[in-house]
Amino acid sequence: SLVGSEMCIRDRMEAAMKCPFCGEDTTKVIDSRPSDDNTAIRRRRMCEVCNRRFTTYEKIEVFPDTRLFFSVR
């Protein structure tokens, strides 16, 4: 289950997803599962305005760690 900041991030992602047909941002997830190759999350969504359905794939992007660590002796 999602808690705290994870829930806020998911809420923002849901609100930002626009329908590719009518452009409205009131969509909801009706099904969610791993993709066939298990490298992404496949989400089936429905627009609450035009009632059309579409699929999105969410993939994690991993960036190299750019933090620098200094040691003082």
Side-chain angles (χ1 to χ4, degrees):
S1 74
L2 299 175
V3 294
S5 62
E6 292 176 355
M7 188 173 294
C8 293
I9 291 168
R10 183 172 180 183
D11 290 345
R12 283 194 301 255
M13 288 173 54
E14 294 297 325
M17 185 60 60
K18 290 188 177 184
C19 173
F21 304 107
C22 71
E24 292 292 326
D25 63 357
T26 52
T27 63
K28 66 179 179 179
V29 175
I30 55 176
D31 183 42
S32 183
R33 65 179 73 174
S35 62
D36 291 337
D37 62 0
N38 217 21
T39 61
I41 301 294
R42 177 188 179 275
R43 297 197 195 278
R44 193 72 178 139
R45 298 176 184 268
M46 186 175 80
C47 176
E48 294 180 330
V49 175
C50 71
N51 291 321
R52 293 185 73 179
R53 294 180 179 195
F54 59 100
T55 302
T56 60
Y57 290 87
E58 297 175 21
K59 193 168 197 169
I60 299 293
E61 290 184 330
V62 179
F63 295 98
D65 191 2
T66 57
R67 293 178 287 176
L68 298 175
F69 295 94
F70 294 96
S71 175
V72 178
R73 293 182 185 208

